[in-house]
Amino acid sequence: MHDDTAEVRDPTDVVDEYEEALDSVLSDVDAPEPDDDGGVSLGLPGLSLNRRDFVKAGVAAGAMGAVAGCSSLNGGGGGQATESGGGGVDHSVAPGEHDEYYGFWSGGHSGELRVIGIPSMRELTRIPVFNTDCASGYGYTDDTKQLLEDSGGYSWGDNHHPNLSETDGDYDGEYLYVNDKANGRIARVNLTYFETDAITDVPNMQAIHGCTVLSPDTKYVFGNGEFRAPLPNDGRDLDDPDSYTALFAAVDPESMETQWQVKVDGNLDINDSGKEGRWVIASAYNSEEATSIQGMTRDDRDDVKAFDIPAIEQAVENGNYEEVNGIPIVDGTKESPLNQGDRPIVKYIPTPKSPHCVEVEPNGDYAMVAGKLSPTVTIIDLNKLPEVEDPADAVVGRPRVGLGPLHTTFDGNGHAYTSLFIDSQAVKWDIEAAVEAEEGSEEPIIERQDVHYNPGHIQALEAMTTDPDGEWLVSLNKLSKDRFLPVGPIMPDNDQLIHIGQGEKEMELVADHPAYPEPHDCVFAHKDKIDAKKVYDPEDYEETYITEEASGVERTGENSVHVKMTTKRSEYGLPDFTVQEGDEVRLTTTNIEGIQDIIHGVAIPEHDINYAVAPQDTREVTFTADEPGVYWIYCTFFCSALHLEMRSRMLVEPAEG
Ligand code: CUK
Ligand code: CUA
């Protein structure tokens, strides 16, 4: 495998190269307004020279693994960095006690969701979404196999942004919606059973990155097209990037069907909804419409898009669209006639620089756009947005928060907390002070907390509602480096629990929590808002409930049988059953137990089958018995003292002749 002729590069050179590249694209606070010809030039180099030198040092140290707290890099200005090590506040939950909050973590390219209790950070369960899971049987039972098949048949997905369904701006505990960045899909998880119950493969889109529901009543689930591609992507315009398109999609939360899409200039990164059902704000990093990293980072501003949802609905109603693959596509590009009148459907707001995320604060007044390659957060006033003729005039603040701002969260008491990827910090700032302050001011900064290391999303309790709970914040750090025992070259991420109180206190780092790669985001709901059932209600599924009396084998065709059997402690409804070689076997299983947590499994060796049947649940698998012989069926959940004895036999008779 090892190629002796390959040149092994000096790691220091690689770091230097990265450092230089980063240095050349980082922008200053006051990225100048675009020239008349649309170009921009970088101004004010002096303002940030020192800062950049600090960055260089930081990047080099980080990349070489010589990690240190980053407080030494905080050259001056606004807010003392806090070094805390979990001394004071206790986040433990006593044995037998419950957590106060559910945390729903996206699992990134694991494709799953993880449910984690807050404040203990204990993992409660995992919900397979775009992946398969042999413990639950997701992707093995007929209905879940079909679900994955119908949504494209992919074996994985890249799960980024979980959103809880809302009624009146608060979580109603019904559903969770999450995107698959890799294959342009949106899935719905039913929070009664904590199960994925729908996945839609959104037409015309390759990658869906941002995903949000329309507040306050979940009228739509929106997906942001991050990668520009030919429309339709059928072999045309292969190497003609100018004709590629990025789309914004609206999906119905009930039917999960795509209702309409909007074509935009540039691309779309992440999005969030205002609180009044009118605006959805989307960030973007490639207004250059380039295909290389140099091209994508060329300009100092990118257009954040503000989608006026009722105006778009009106355009659709008026028939102002083209249809591609059955979906109405409304033209929201700058030159579109729909953007010329007094009610444009999309407003373009130039924002420095390749901004990463948008989060709307709890009152719904301001959208915070984290600058990523600009050390600022741009504050867009959503109340001004309808009035201003030049959308740039809706920008009412731009505090300088630090290097690599990616995401922002809220405590509900006037404070914002922004993650700084490059500085490895959570920075707390005062929202009103930032609106009052001059552009680029560090005055609104209240405090800085070092995190370990390189945070992406940052979330405080119920921060996406109109009434956040404060108290705890989680920083989802991409790198853990030396924070845990080394486990080979691929280290876990590090989700850090930070106590914030109601915003009146200093932030305090309380716990490190290793996470298998790679969670991006999470969302928290108070436990009283989720009503998880403890046993299945047979009314909720379509399969026929099997009783002990009904257990048996029924021949349904020359080469097909229907096997029905129950499970209970500690036996299957059939001690054995016989089928013919080559039979298609449909096996329906009902767990007739009515007690919480008594689960039985059905594993069939050498047939690639295992699934769980929860109390009062019925599950079905269909497979071919293609090899004659005896196959022991056994229970895979340790259900009783007689669990090992809980077995059945499938006897496959050789075909005749
Ligand atoms: S993205 Cu991953 S750190 Cu997909 Cu929300 Cu920002
Ligand atoms: Cu049933 Cu083990």
Side-chain angles (χ1 to χ4, degrees), residues 536-551:
Y536 273 80
D537 181 347
E539 300 270 302
D540 288 346
Y541 52 83
E542 284 161 16
E543 284 85 10
T544 351
Y545 188 95
I546 308 294
T547 59
E548 277 182 291
E549 297 71 51
S551 290

Side-chain angles (χ1 to χ4, degrees), residues 3-24:
D3 179 359
D4 288 327
T5 61
E7 189 197 338
V8 179
R9 297 192 58 201
D10 181 345
T12 322
D13 289 349
V14 179
V15 172
D16 286 347
E17 211 170 88
Y18 168 66
E19 209 183 295
E20 238 171 79
L22 181 65
D23 189 42
S24 74

Side-chain angles (χ1 to χ4, degrees), residues 614-631:
Q616 295 294 303
D617 190 14
T618 299
R619 295 282 154 166
E620 221 164 70
V621 289
T622 302
F623 60 94
T624 306
D626 46 11
E627 290 285 342
V630 174
Y631 299 93

